[in-house]
Amino acid sequence: MLSVTQTVAVLAFAWLIRRIFCFRNLALAYKGVPSRIVLFSPFIALTFYTPLQWIEIPGVLLSRPKTYREDYDAFEAIGSDIFVVIHMLPLGAQFMLANANVIRDVSAARTSFPKPVGDYEAVSMYGTNMIGAEGHDWARHRKACASSFSDRNSQLVWDSASQTMQEIFTSWSGQPEIRLPVTRVWTLRIALLVLSAAGFGMSTPWEESDAPESQRSTSFQKILSDALDDLPWKFVLPNFVWGSEAEREDVAVAGWVGRGWLGKRARQAAVTFSALERHITDIIDERRESGFNEKQKDLLSNLIGASGEGEGGLTLREVTGNIFVFLLAGHETSAHSLAFMFGLLALYQDEQERLY
């Protein structure tokens, strides 16, 4: 009779032998294809969100490029625009592409190359959305969101951005010099105000005031910024440590994280995620209670209009999930683009004068 320890050891050994044989067969399947064989996948949390991402150990780890200019070095070293990374943990193979024509063909062939939806669980924490869906489900979300990307909505974004910038210039008038120590903080606020108007139909003035709407916008900006900064926690920690959806309604007892078993910093991330969800659902509830107006063409109105419309309609949780994804995709990306733009215009003042 084997002891528990011996049984576990035998099972672990059997698993290892089976994994080695599967790994060998996988490597043979790609024989003749330019490849890199490593122990750990370069796309798991251990190697993607820790300092290990910058370390290369032949046969064990692949390092990520530290700069944009280094992106092609791995392809140059192997002598091909396409190579496959074969890894044991987890067992699998992934193609690395640096050929524009191949990337286009792969992106277009959604059936042959489906999206690995499991990798998008973190961005689906508030509900399934267009980024975290595939197949028929993806088409349903795309149909609901497509109407937001129209000339009318683009005009709304332009008008909102113009209004915000005019208010900024007015606030600067009469000042001999304007100093912006951290441009990103400033452009994050611009992006949020424009997103609030074009995404939620909520126009908020640049100058902060004691008005409830202004205070609410400031609070929302802080929570959104914190949630985006804490998002890596959702990628690194498995789903079960966050608790069930029902548990997360009371963050104080939601899984290991809510109970503080993984430290105060992880628990604060859970509190932030919960607060952002309440903000988004409050905004949705207010819009639904005020009545849907077909003349409103902001993102929220379009998503609410698409919710509950027969079999293809979005649920309330899916509306929340899509709102979060658009905030995630549009907030910091727009802010960083604006920050670089203003920096370049400051460096090249002849181009600044042409723009003016």
Side-chain angles (χ1 to χ4, degrees):
M1 184 74 178
L2 295 176
S3 67
V4 173
T5 303
Q6 290 173 326
T7 302
V8 171
V10 169
L11 291 175
F13 182 74
W15 175 87
L16 179 61
I17 294 299
R18 183 176 183 277
R19 179 56 60 100
I20 290 173
F21 273 102
C22 291
F23 185 56
R24 175 179 175 275
N25 291 337
L26 185 63
L28 289 174
Y30 289 100
K31 188 177 180 180
V33 178
S35 61
R36 296 287 302 273
I37 299 177
V38 290
L39 180 61
F40 294 103
S41 166
F43 302 104
I44 60 175
L46 174 66
T47 55
F48 202 81
Y49 295 105
T50 69
L52 288 175
Q53 65 182 302
W54 312 121
I55 300 172
E56 176 141 355
I57 304 175
V60 180
L61 287 174
L62 283 182
S63 66
R64 292 178 63 195
K66 294 184 177 68
T67 67
Y68 178 78
R69 294 181 183 277
E70 294 178 7
D71 262 354
Y72 192 70
D73 288 356
F75 296 92
E76 199 168 51
I78 211 166
S80 173
D81 284 344
I82 304 169
F83 68 90
V84 63
V85 178
I86 304 168
H87 43 80
M88 182 183 285
L89 299 172
L91 184 65
Q94 285 151 331
F95 278 93
M96 311 295 284
L97 309 177
N99 184 297
N101 292 327
V102 175
I103 293 172
R104 180 197 61 202
D105 292 343
V106 168
S107 300
R110 301 186 67 91
T111 304
S112 301
F113 299 95
K115 184 191 301 179
V117 292
D119 294 345
Y120 294 88
E121 287 182 352
V123 296
S124 298
M125 60 179 162
Y126 297 129
T128 308
N129 51 66
M130 190 167 67
I131 299 297
E134 186 57 301
H136 174 72
D137 204 25
W138 172 84
R140 185 170 59 87
H141 283 272
R142 184 181 183 278
K143 180 180 179 182
C145 298
S147 58
S148 298
F149 297 92
S150 61
D151 290 342
R152 186 166 182 176
N153 192 260
S154 297
Q155 185 65 49
L156 180 58
V157 172
W158 174 262
D159 292 341
S160 302
S162 299
Q163 177 65 29
T164 298
M165 293 309 300
Q166 286 296 334
E167 291 177 2
I168 292 173
F169 295 148
T170 300
S171 70
W172 285 352
S173 62
Q175 299 185 44
E177 186 178 61
I178 303 296
R179 289 184 176 272
L180 300 172
V182 183
T183 311
R184 176 178 170 271
V185 174
W186 181 67
T187 55
L188 277 170
R189 186 152 177 251
I190 294 176
L192 180 66
L193 294 181
V194 174
L195 272 173
S196 295
F200 302 114
M202 299 188 309
S203 296
T204 308
W206 175 258
E207 291 289 345
E208 294 183 8
S209 69
D210 294 330
E213 195 63 32
S214 179
Q215 293 296 313
R216 181 183 184 185
S217 177
T218 303
S219 173
F220 182 66
Q221 177 184 2
K222 175 69 167 63
I223 291 173
L224 176 61
S225 178
D226 289 346
L228 296 179
D229 289 341
D230 290 340
L231 198 58
W233 286 99
K234 292 293 286 188
F235 286 99
V236 172
L237 299 178
N239 278 339
F240 72 87
V241 304
W242 298 93
S244 65
E245 184 179 328
E247 286 179 328
R248 288 197 296 270
E249 292 181 3
D250 183 0
V251 72
V253 295
W256 296 7
V257 175
R259 294 182 176 92
W261 295 353
L262 299 181
K264 292 181 179 179
R265 188 65 188 82
R267 188 181 187 282
Q268 182 55 49
V271 172
T272 301
F273 295 143
S274 179
L276 180 60
E277 182 173 15
R278 285 196 301 272
H279 268 270
I280 296 175
T281 53
D282 286 348
I283 292 170
I284 294 172
D285 289 342
E286 288 176 11
R287 180 63 61 84
R288 295 178 77 178
E289 289 173 5
S290 64
F292 173 67
N293 185 348
E294 292 187 354
K295 293 183 179 180
Q296 291 177 303
K297 292 299 179 182
D298 55 79
L299 172 64
L300 180 58
S301 296
N302 288 326
L303 289 176
I304 291 176
S307 64
E309 291 183 350
E311 185 180 345
L314 300 180
T315 65
L316 176 59
R317 188 156 182 80
E318 288 173 335
V319 171
T320 305
N322 278 292
I323 287 292
F324 172 70
V325 159
F326 280 100
L327 287 170
L328 172 65
H331 186 220
E332 290 212 356
T333 50
S334 300
H336 281 89
S337 298
L338 287 171
F340 273 97
M341 183 192 75
F342 288 126
L344 290 170
L345 287 174
L347 289 172
Y348 299 95
Q349 296 190 14
D350 53 335
E351 298 297 331
Q352 181 185 148
E353 188 61 29
R354 286 180 60 193
L355 179 64
Y356 178 76

